[in-house]
């Protein structure tokens, strides 16, 4: 479906975003906190219920109530009945009207926990449909959400088409909605060509240090041009298991003096403000919220056309330079071209800055409201 224009006003609802955790620096967690805050700002009563982690790493406004079932990650299959009971009790005690599962996998808990209760159920998919991670349970959960939920929200039109193809008799609406921008957009596009005062220019990459993010490919590309780019360096920001191997790779490639791997931070905007170019070398990227964040800071982007997210969000030669997935030499050439052309950097950055304004959190929250105000999502008790 195509959503209607955002409503100018809406009846406040009691909402619950049900998620795995808010205690990790990752895209889905950031998007969850951002959307919860935006809903609260629009007058809704907002709860975030996590399976684990009592302390969110992203700030929540006073109007958002957060509760975690467990302090630490546990083997959830051994606590299945406890989770279902806790979830049902929480929904009833707080009179939840709209339940948003931040991952369709959570339908395995939400459906039995909310049987017979008068609420709307929405699943929010943050992965591409092809990324079932080889898990039969994920396929079951997606089928359950398609059959029993009022809506399934996906990030791209390509994924909406995939859900429609795999679930042709679904009860749920399949809706395309982008993730909201989780950082404030500067009032004016920042200038990035004055970093000589710091003695260097920076190519930034942000994300979990896992194979899917492809930071090894960035280091490979950088090693081909680093010695011809005086004053430039690569800065990778994130947490994960590959930190040591990435540093070893940079050392073995002879570029350890111009590659740094820094820990994830909640205030990621500080890194965008200090960068000159953003690089997305991902092998898989269902959406790529970091691309919108980089654009909000008028950063030109160099990226692989690796997945539905980058292909939907980037416009080659307009706000970015996009190269064929896996072509290390092409990635190196694109970075080298952009490094040597300040005018092109500014042109791409300004176009990206204009595009990022479409992803402001309030505007995205208003579009979510049409899911429960538009008359198409129905309560279980009315079926």
């Amino acid at each position: 479906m195509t959503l209607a224009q955002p409503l100018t006003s809406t009846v406040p609802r009691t909402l619950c975003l049900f998620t795995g955790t808010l205690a990790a620096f990752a895209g889905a967690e950031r998007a969850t906190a951002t959307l919860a805050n935006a809903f609260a700002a629009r007058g809704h009563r907002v709860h975030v219920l996590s399976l684990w982690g009592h302390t969110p790493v992203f700030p929540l406004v006073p109007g958002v109530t957060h509760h975690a079932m467990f302090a630490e990650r546990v083997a959830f299959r051994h606590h299945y009945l406890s989770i279902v009971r806790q979830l049902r009790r929480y929904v009833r005690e707080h009179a939840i009207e709209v339940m948003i599962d931040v991952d369709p996998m959570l339908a395995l808990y939400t459906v039995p926990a909310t049987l017979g209760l008068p609420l709307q159920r929405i699943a929010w998919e943050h992965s591409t449909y092809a990324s079932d991670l080889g898990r039969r349970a994920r396929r079951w959960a997606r089928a359950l959400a398609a059959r029993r939920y009022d809506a399934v929200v996906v990030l791209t039109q390509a994924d909406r088409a995939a859900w429609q193809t795999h679930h042709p008799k679904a009860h749920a609406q399949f809706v395309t909605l982008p993730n909201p921008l989780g950082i404030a957009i500067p009032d004016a596009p920042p200038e990035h060509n004055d970093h000589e005062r710091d003695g260097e220019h920076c190519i930034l990459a942000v994300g979990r240090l896992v194979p899917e993010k492809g930071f090894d490919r960035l280091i490979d590309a950088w090693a081909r041009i680093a010695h011809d780019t005086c004053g430039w360096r690569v800065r990778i920001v994130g947490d994960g298991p590959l930190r040591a191997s990435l540093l070893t790779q940079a050392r073995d490639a002879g570029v350890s003096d111009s590659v740094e791997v820094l820990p994830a931070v909640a205030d990621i905007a500080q890194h965008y403000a200090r960068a000159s170019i953003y690089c997305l070398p991902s092998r898989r990227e269902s959406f790529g919220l970091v691309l919108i964040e980089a654009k909000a800071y008028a950063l030109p982007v160099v990226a692989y056309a690796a997945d539905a997210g980058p292909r939907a969000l980037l416009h080659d030669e307009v706000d970015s330079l996009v190269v064929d997935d896996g072509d290390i030499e092409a990635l190196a050439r694109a970075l080298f071209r952009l490094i040597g052309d300040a005018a092109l950097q500014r042109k791409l950055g300004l176009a990206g800055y204009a595009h990022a304004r479409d992803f402001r959190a309030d505007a995205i929250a208003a579009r979510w409201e049409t899911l429960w105000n538009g008359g198409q999502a129905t309560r279980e008790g009315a079926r």
Side-chain angles (χ1 to χ4, degrees), residues 286-353:
S286 58
F287 183 69
L289 184 58
V290 289
L291 295 173
I292 303 302
E293 293 176 345
K295 287 183 177 188
Y297 272 77
L299 285 174
V301 175
V302 175
Y304 280 130
D307 214 335
R311 288 196 293 270
L313 294 175
L314 297 177
H315 310 89
D316 188 36
E317 300 286 346
V318 176
D319 53 27
S320 55
L321 300 180
V322 182
V323 302
D324 290 340
D325 183 30
D327 191 334
I328 300 294
E329 184 61 36
L331 187 68
R333 287 198 304 269
L335 287 169
F336 191 73
R337 175 188 170 195
L338 199 51
I339 286 170
D341 193 337
L344 181 60
Q345 292 176 37
R346 188 62 176 166
K347 171 195 165 189
L348 301 182
L350 288 175
Y353 175 81

Side-chain angles (χ1 to χ4, degrees), residues 1-4 157 160 164 173-176 370-371 376:
M1 67 174 284
T2 300
L3 287 179
Q157 286 292 90
R160 177 171 174 262
Q164 290 174 323
Q173 311 167 55
F174 299 128
V175 182
T176 302
T370 65
L371 291 178
Q376 298 187 53

Side-chain angles (χ1 to χ4, degrees), residues 157-307:
Q157 286 292 90
D159 269 303
R160 177 171 174 262
W163 275 83
Q164 290 174 323
T165 298
H166 286 88
H167 306 283
K169 298 181 179 180
H171 169 80
Q173 311 167 55
F174 299 128
V175 182
T176 302
L177 273 175
N179 278 340
L181 184 61
I183 59 177
I185 300 179
D187 293 335
E191 293 277 356
H192 295 283
N193 292 324
D194 60 354
H195 292 306
E196 279 122 3
R197 67 177 184 270
D198 301 323
E200 66 182 34
H201 290 275
C202 168
I203 298 169
L204 178 66
V206 176
R208 286 276 297 161
L209 306 183
V210 293
E212 291 79 5
K213 297 302 181 182
F215 297 130
D216 58 308
R217 307 201 291 184
L218 170 57
I219 293 174
D220 280 345
W222 178 244
R224 301 186 185 204
I225 63 173
H227 299 297
D228 297 316
T229 55
C230 181
W232 283 79
R233 65 191 299 104
V234 167
R235 179 172 295 132
I236 300 170
V237 179
D239 294 331
L242 296 186
R243 178 180 302 277
S245 64
L246 292 172
L247 292 172
T248 299
Q249 179 189 356
R251 184 197 64 204
D252 292 346
V255 293
S256 59
D257 60 337
S258 60
V259 173
E260 54 186 344
V261 183
L262 302 181
V265 293
D267 180 21
I268 192 62
Q270 62 180 293
H271 288 293
Y272 294 120
R274 293 167 54 198
S276 298
I277 293 171
Y278 190 85
C279 183
L280 186 99
S282 296
R283 292 180 170 87
R284 280 207 310 266
E285 198 70 57
S286 58
F287 183 69
L289 184 58
V290 289
L291 295 173
I292 303 302
E293 293 176 345
K295 287 183 177 188
Y297 272 77
L299 285 174
V301 175
V302 175
Y304 280 130
D307 214 335

